Amino acid sequence: MKFTPALVCIAALLLMSGCARMKVSCEIEPAYDFGGIRTYQWIEPTPDILEQEDTYLNQDLQRALNNELSARGWVQVLEAGSATIQITYHIKISEHQEYVESASRSESEFAGGLVFQTGEWSYEERGPDQHVYSIETGSLNMVVTDTASGKRVWRGSLQTKLDRSAPIEKQHELFQRAAHKLLEQLPPRKK
């Protein structure tokens, strides 16, 4: 298979645009007064979540989340008694394969070729070549619980492609974008 400049450019654009996409979903308790939130406390996920092999916590990501929460006017506290809400988060990382077919028409048409099997030559049809990429996907999951009632009032999830080999500055940029995009889904504080 030939790697033409056009094919290389298309593959690079697909990878870069895929990294920019973030899929966000959330569940909100509609009756909860988010305007009453002044303080929050971080709590660790339950042991059954933390013990899963593909689950992580990351201080740099938590710092990015803190920046977004502070921008809302919320203040982090260390004691549950002085926190309006408690927040927990975790990251799940999974790996899967993505397939990209050949870009040119001549490469994507079925073609045949001679093959040598069991001591003789024969003609065999072949399908188009495919490029296989291993892709890591990260899921940021966050839960907000009302401290007084213990009731979950918001749950959000963000999924995006990851590149853990990227320079640390690029990873921090991804954390900031992810924190901002996820926390955009929290209802605004009324003034």
Side-chain angles (χ1 to χ4, degrees):
M1 156 116 219
K2 288 184 181 178
F3 286 96
T4 64
L7 178 62
V8 172
C9 288
I10 289 170
L13 286 173
L14 286 173
L15 288 173
M16 288 184 337
S17 67
C19 293
R21 281 186 249 150
M22 295 181 181
K23 179 181 166 187
V24 179
S25 63
C26 68
E27 298 173 9
I28 299 171
E29 175 58 48
Y32 188 75
D33 177 21
F34 284 86
I37 298 174
R38 302 284 181 256
T39 56
Y40 67 95
Q41 175 196 26
W42 287 106
I43 58 173
E44 281 199 7
T46 59
D48 61 314
I49 291 174
L50 284 178
E51 291 170 359
Q52 294 175 12
E53 185 177 309
D54 59 349
T55 302
Y56 303 91
L57 299 177
N58 181 293
Q59 289 181 355
D60 294 325
L61 178 59
Q62 187 170 340
R63 199 170 300 119
L65 290 166
N66 271 333
N67 292 341
E68 290 295 319
L69 294 169
S70 293
R72 292 178 150 263
W74 297 359
V75 177
Q76 180 182 1
V77 296
L78 300 176
E79 297 177 12
S82 56
T84 311
I85 58 170
Q86 293 180 318
I87 303 173
T88 186
Y89 82 97
H90 65 277
I91 305 163
K92 292 185 90 46
I93 297 178
S94 59
E95 188 174 302
H96 66 278
Q97 304 288 317
E98 285 193 3
Y99 303 91
V100 178
E101 290 195 19
S102 304
S104 74
R105 180 174 179 192
S106 64
E107 289 176 326
S108 65
E109 291 177 354
F110 282 89
L114 292 175
V115 292
F116 187 77
Q117 293 177 336
T118 60
E120 61 183 50
W121 287 95
S122 63
Y123 181 79
E124 187 175 287
E125 291 288 328
R126 294 186 314 220
D129 290 335
Q130 290 185 335
H131 302 283
V132 180
Y133 299 96
S134 288
I135 303 295
E136 275 191 322
T137 304
S139 260
L140 167 58
N141 302 288
M142 189 168 156
V143 176
V144 176
T145 307
D146 180 68
T147 304
S149 69
K151 185 177 181 182
R152 183 183 75 216
V153 296
W154 185 86
R155 177 172 49 189
S157 178
L158 177 139
Q159 291 181 330
T160 190
K161 291 182 182 179
L162 299 177
D163 180 6
R164 291 193 278 177
S165 67
I168 194 73
E169 297 83 22
K170 292 290 184 191
Q171 291 182 35
H172 286 173
E173 287 175 22
L174 177 64
F175 293 156
Q176 276 304 138
R177 284 194 323 265
H180 180 74
K181 184 115 174 137
L182 180 63
L183 293 177
E184 277 182 328
Q185 304 304 311
L186 270 170
R189 182 174 166 183
K190 297 175 179 122
K191 296 189 182 194

